[in-house]
mmCIF file of all heavy atoms in Angstrom:
data_model
loop_
_atom_site.group_PDB
_atom_site.id
_atom_site.type_symbol
_atom_site.label_atom_id
_atom_site.label_comp_id
_atom_site.label_asym_id
_atom_site.label_seq_id
_atom_site.Cartn_x
_atom_site.Cartn_y
_atom_site.Cartn_z
ATOM 1 N N GLU A 866 146.295 -23.060 37.415
ATOM 2 C CA GLU A 866 145.513 -23.654 38.507
ATOM 3 C C GLU A 866 144.048 -23.697 38.070
ATOM 4 O O GLU A 866 143.381 -22.669 37.972
ATOM 5 C CB GLU A 866 145.655 -22.821 39.780
ATOM 6 C CG GLU A 866 145.100 -23.495 41.020
ATOM 7 C CD GLU A 866 145.860 -24.758 41.385
ATOM 8 O OE1 GLU A 866 147.084 -24.693 41.550
ATOM 9 O OE2 GLU A 866 145.196 -25.815 41.490
ATOM 10 N N ALA A 867 143.575 -24.907 37.753
ATOM 11 C CA ALA A 867 142.267 -25.056 37.128
ATOM 12 C C ALA A 867 141.268 -25.735 38.060
ATOM 13 O O ALA A 867 141.615 -26.636 38.829
ATOM 14 C CB ALA A 867 142.385 -25.857 35.835
ATOM 15 N N ILE A 868 140.041 -25.309 37.971
ATOM 16 C CA ILE A 868 138.912 -25.961 38.634
ATOM 17 C C ILE A 868 138.137 -26.707 37.565
ATOM 18 O O ILE A 868 137.645 -26.093 36.609
ATOM 19 C CB ILE A 868 137.992 -24.937 39.331
ATOM 20 C CG1 ILE A 868 138.771 -24.159 40.392
ATOM 21 C CG2 ILE A 868 136.789 -25.633 39.953
ATOM 22 C CD1 ILE A 868 137.973 -23.022 41.020
ATOM 23 N N ARG A 869 138.057 -28.023 37.683
ATOM 24 C CA ARG A 869 137.355 -28.825 36.691
ATOM 25 C C ARG A 869 135.873 -28.478 36.673
ATOM 26 O O ARG A 869 135.230 -28.320 37.720
ATOM 27 C CB ARG A 869 137.525 -30.302 36.977
ATOM 28 C CG ARG A 869 138.923 -30.843 36.745
ATOM 29 C CD ARG A 869 138.984 -32.318 37.080
ATOM 30 N NE ARG A 869 138.009 -33.068 36.290
ATOM 31 C CZ ARG A 869 137.664 -34.330 36.559
ATOM 32 N NH1 ARG A 869 138.179 -34.948 37.610
ATOM 33 N NH2 ARG A 869 136.796 -34.952 35.799
ATOM 34 N N LEU A 870 135.317 -28.382 35.489
ATOM 35 C CA LEU A 870 133.905 -28.042 35.343
ATOM 36 C C LEU A 870 133.007 -29.059 36.038
ATOM 37 O O LEU A 870 132.066 -28.687 36.753
ATOM 38 C CB LEU A 870 133.549 -27.952 33.855
ATOM 39 C CG LEU A 870 132.069 -27.690 33.531
ATOM 40 C CD1 LEU A 870 131.618 -26.366 34.111
ATOM 41 C CD2 LEU A 870 131.846 -27.734 32.022
ATOM 42 N N ALA A 871 133.273 -30.352 35.832
ATOM 43 C CA ALA A 871 132.430 -31.384 36.442
ATOM 44 C C ALA A 871 132.446 -31.277 37.963
ATOM 45 O O ALA A 871 131.408 -31.420 38.621
ATOM 46 C CB ALA A 871 132.892 -32.768 36.001
ATOM 47 N N ASN A 872 133.622 -31.026 38.538
ATOM 48 C CA ASN A 872 133.705 -30.883 39.992
ATOM 49 C C ASN A 872 132.944 -29.650 40.477
ATOM 50 O O ASN A 872 132.282 -29.673 41.517
ATOM 51 C CB ASN A 872 135.170 -30.783 40.426
ATOM 52 C CG ASN A 872 135.870 -32.129 40.381
ATOM 53 O OD1 ASN A 872 135.242 -33.158 40.112
ATOM 54 N ND2 ASN A 872 137.166 -32.129 40.618
ATOM 55 N N TRP A 873 133.067 -28.564 39.717
ATOM 56 C CA TRP A 873 132.404 -27.328 40.140
ATOM 57 C C TRP A 873 130.880 -27.479 40.089
ATOM 58 O O TRP A 873 130.166 -27.016 40.987
ATOM 59 C CB TRP A 873 132.858 -26.167 39.261
ATOM 60 C CG TRP A 873 132.336 -24.843 39.717
ATOM 61 C CD1 TRP A 873 131.337 -24.119 39.148
ATOM 62 C CD2 TRP A 873 132.765 -24.102 40.864
ATOM 63 N NE1 TRP A 873 131.104 -22.962 39.847
ATOM 64 C CE2 TRP A 873 131.979 -22.936 40.919
ATOM 65 C CE3 TRP A 873 133.736 -24.322 41.838
ATOM 66 C CZ2 TRP A 873 132.134 -21.981 41.915
ATOM 67 C CZ3 TRP A 873 133.897 -23.366 42.825
ATOM 68 C CH2 TRP A 873 133.106 -22.219 42.865
ATOM 69 N N ILE A 874 130.391 -28.139 39.050
ATOM 70 C CA ILE A 874 128.947 -28.377 38.945
ATOM 71 C C ILE A 874 128.466 -29.230 40.113
ATOM 72 O O ILE A 874 127.437 -28.942 40.744
ATOM 73 C CB ILE A 874 128.611 -29.051 37.595
ATOM 74 C CG1 ILE A 874 128.837 -28.065 36.449
ATOM 75 C CG2 ILE A 874 127.169 -29.546 37.577
ATOM 76 C CD1 ILE A 874 128.695 -28.698 35.073
ATOM 77 N N ALA A 875 129.205 -30.303 40.410
ATOM 78 C CA ALA A 875 128.804 -31.190 41.496
ATOM 79 C C ALA A 875 128.864 -30.497 42.851
ATOM 80 O O ALA A 875 128.056 -30.776 43.740
ATOM 81 C CB ALA A 875 129.695 -32.433 41.503
ATOM 82 N N ALA A 876 129.817 -29.580 43.016
ATOM 83 C CA ALA A 876 129.980 -28.908 44.307
ATOM 84 C C ALA A 876 129.014 -27.748 44.495
ATOM 85 O O ALA A 876 128.905 -27.213 45.603
ATOM 86 C CB ALA A 876 131.419 -28.401 44.438
ATOM 87 N N ASN A 877 128.313 -27.365 43.417
ATOM 88 C CA ASN A 877 127.413 -26.216 43.506
ATOM 89 C C ASN A 877 126.029 -26.548 42.952
ATOM 90 O O ASN A 877 125.582 -25.977 41.955
ATOM 91 C CB ASN A 877 127.997 -25.023 42.748
ATOM 92 C CG ASN A 877 129.228 -24.454 43.412
ATOM 93 O OD1 ASN A 877 129.143 -23.642 44.325
ATOM 94 N ND2 ASN A 877 130.390 -24.905 42.945
ATOM 95 N N PRO A 878 125.328 -27.486 43.581
ATOM 96 C CA PRO A 878 123.970 -27.791 43.109
ATOM 97 C C PRO A 878 123.039 -26.615 43.378
ATOM 98 O O PRO A 878 123.294 -25.789 44.264
ATOM 99 C CB PRO A 878 123.574 -29.007 43.954
ATOM 100 C CG PRO A 878 124.370 -28.850 45.219
ATOM 101 C CD PRO A 878 125.686 -28.257 44.791
ATOM 102 N N ARG A 879 121.988 -26.553 42.590
ATOM 103 C CA ARG A 879 121.021 -25.472 42.784
ATOM 104 C C ARG A 879 120.254 -25.738 44.062
ATOM 105 O O ARG A 879 119.595 -26.761 44.207
ATOM 106 C CB ARG A 879 120.069 -25.398 41.599
ATOM 107 C CG ARG A 879 119.098 -24.227 41.680
ATOM 108 C CD ARG A 879 118.466 -23.971 40.333
ATOM 109 N NE ARG A 879 117.634 -22.787 40.355
ATOM 110 C CZ ARG A 879 117.204 -22.154 39.279
ATOM 111 N NH1 ARG A 879 117.529 -22.612 38.095
ATOM 112 N NH2 ARG A 879 116.444 -21.081 39.374
ATOM 113 N N ARG A 880 120.354 -24.796 44.985
ATOM 114 C CA ARG A 880 119.711 -24.975 46.285
ATOM 115 C C ARG A 880 118.461 -24.113 46.386
ATOM 116 O O ARG A 880 118.278 -23.173 45.638
ATOM 117 C CB ARG A 880 120.677 -24.628 47.416
ATOM 118 C CG ARG A 880 121.848 -25.588 47.516
ATOM 119 C CD ARG A 880 122.761 -25.224 48.663
ATOM 120 N NE ARG A 880 123.788 -26.232 48.875
ATOM 121 C CZ ARG A 880 124.939 -26.274 48.236
ATOM 122 N NH1 ARG A 880 125.203 -25.366 47.326
ATOM 123 N NH2 ARG A 880 125.821 -27.227 48.490
ATOM 124 N N GLY A 881 117.643 -24.461 47.337
ATOM 125 C CA GLY A 881 116.422 -23.693 47.564
ATOM 126 C C GLY A 881 115.571 -24.405 48.591
ATOM 127 O O GLY A 881 115.710 -25.606 48.825
ATOM 128 N N GLY A 882 114.702 -23.684 49.199
ATOM 129 C CA GLY A 882 113.814 -24.284 50.182
ATOM 130 C C GLY A 882 112.472 -23.606 50.142
ATOM 131 O O GLY A 882 112.308 -22.559 49.512
ATOM 132 N N GLY A 883 111.529 -24.200 50.785
ATOM 133 C CA GLY A 883 110.214 -23.583 50.846
ATOM 134 C C GLY A 883 109.259 -24.191 49.855
ATOM 135 O O GLY A 883 109.155 -25.416 49.713
ATOM 136 N N THR A 884 108.549 -23.360 49.135
ATOM 137 C CA THR A 884 107.483 -23.790 48.250
ATOM 138 C C THR A 884 108.027 -24.520 47.027
ATOM 139 O O THR A 884 108.997 -24.090 46.403
ATOM 140 C CB THR A 884 106.663 -22.569 47.788
ATOM 141 O OG1 THR A 884 106.203 -21.868 48.933
ATOM 142 C CG2 THR A 884 105.480 -23.009 46.953
ATOM 143 N N ASN A 885 107.361 -25.632 46.694
ATOM 144 C CA ASN A 885 107.787 -26.423 45.543
ATOM 145 C C ASN A 885 107.193 -25.872 44.248
ATOM 146 O O ASN A 885 105.975 -25.664 44.147
ATOM 147 C CB ASN A 885 107.330 -27.880 45.695
ATOM 148 C CG ASN A 885 108.056 -28.601 46.809
ATOM 149 O OD1 ASN A 885 109.167 -28.241 47.178
ATOM 150 N ND2 ASN A 885 107.430 -29.631 47.354
ATOM 151 N N ILE A 886 108.054 -25.657 43.282
ATOM 152 C CA ILE A 886 107.621 -25.377 41.914
ATOM 153 C C ILE A 886 108.240 -26.445 41.027
ATOM 154 O O ILE A 886 109.460 -26.629 41.028
ATOM 155 C CB ILE A 886 108.041 -23.971 41.455
ATOM 156 C CG1 ILE A 886 107.238 -22.914 42.215
ATOM 157 C CG2 ILE A 886 107.845 -23.803 39.951
ATOM 158 C CD1 ILE A 886 107.541 -21.481 41.815
ATOM 159 N N GLY A 887 107.409 -27.156 40.307
ATOM 160 C CA GLY A 887 107.891 -28.228 39.452
ATOM 161 C C GLY A 887 108.303 -27.716 38.089
ATOM 162 O O GLY A 887 107.731 -26.763 37.568
ATOM 163 N N VAL A 888 109.317 -28.360 37.514
ATOM 164 C CA VAL A 888 109.750 -28.064 36.145
ATOM 165 C C VAL A 888 109.818 -29.386 35.388
ATOM 166 O O VAL A 888 110.546 -30.293 35.780
ATOM 167 C CB VAL A 888 111.128 -27.370 36.099
ATOM 168 C CG1 VAL A 888 111.538 -27.122 34.647
ATOM 169 C CG2 VAL A 888 111.107 -26.069 36.867
ATOM 170 N N VAL A 889 109.029 -29.510 34.344
ATOM 171 C CA VAL A 889 109.051 -30.710 33.509
ATOM 172 C C VAL A 889 109.467 -30.293 32.107
ATOM 173 O O VAL A 889 109.027 -29.265 31.593
ATOM 174 C CB VAL A 889 107.677 -31.420 33.490
ATOM 175 C CG1 VAL A 889 106.593 -30.539 32.893
ATOM 176 C CG2 VAL A 889 107.768 -32.752 32.754
ATOM 177 N N THR A 890 110.348 -31.078 31.506
ATOM 178 C CA THR A 890 110.899 -30.743 30.193
ATOM 179 C C THR A 890 110.300 -31.629 29.112
ATOM 180 O O THR A 890 110.280 -32.859 29.245
ATOM 181 C CB THR A 890 112.424 -30.912 30.190
ATOM 182 O OG1 THR A 890 112.996 -30.046 31.172
ATOM 183 C CG2 THR A 890 113.009 -30.566 28.825
ATOM 184 N N VAL A 891 109.815 -30.988 28.061
ATOM 185 C CA VAL A 891 109.415 -31.690 26.843
ATOM 186 C C VAL A 891 110.519 -31.399 25.837
ATOM 187 O O VAL A 891 110.509 -30.383 25.151
ATOM 188 C CB VAL A 891 108.046 -31.209 26.328
ATOM 189 C CG1 VAL A 891 107.670 -31.936 25.043
ATOM 190 C CG2 VAL A 891 106.978 -31.419 27.389
ATOM 191 N N GLY A 892 111.516 -32.272 25.804
ATOM 192 C CA GLY A 892 112.706 -32.029 24.999
ATOM 193 C C GLY A 892 112.883 -33.070 23.915
ATOM 194 O O GLY A 892 112.749 -34.265 24.151
ATOM 195 N N GLY A 893 113.172 -32.624 22.709
ATOM 196 C CA GLY A 893 113.399 -33.530 21.595
ATOM 197 C C GLY A 893 112.107 -33.885 20.878
ATOM 198 O O GLY A 893 111.035 -33.369 21.192
ATOM 199 N N PRO A 894 112.183 -34.780 19.904
ATOM 200 C CA PRO A 894 110.989 -35.187 19.160
ATOM 201 C C PRO A 894 109.938 -35.789 20.093
ATOM 202 O O PRO A 894 110.267 -36.514 21.033
ATOM 203 C CB PRO A 894 111.517 -36.235 18.177
ATOM 204 C CG PRO A 894 112.985 -35.975 18.072
ATOM 205 C CD PRO A 894 113.400 -35.446 19.406
#
């Protein structure tokens, strides 16, 4: 009995409320 990874990721987004902290990625060349 398997839970698909893609489904689990979609069903469990990172939640939070209140103060905004931004995250910007400088990834790759």
Side-chain angles (χ1 to χ4, degrees):
E866 191 65 55
I868 300 174
R869 290 179 57 193
L870 176 61
N872 285 355
W873 186 255
I874 291 173
N877 291 276
R879 184 164 185 164
R880 293 181 173 86
T884 305
N885 291 335
I886 290 182
V888 179
V889 62
T890 300
V891 179

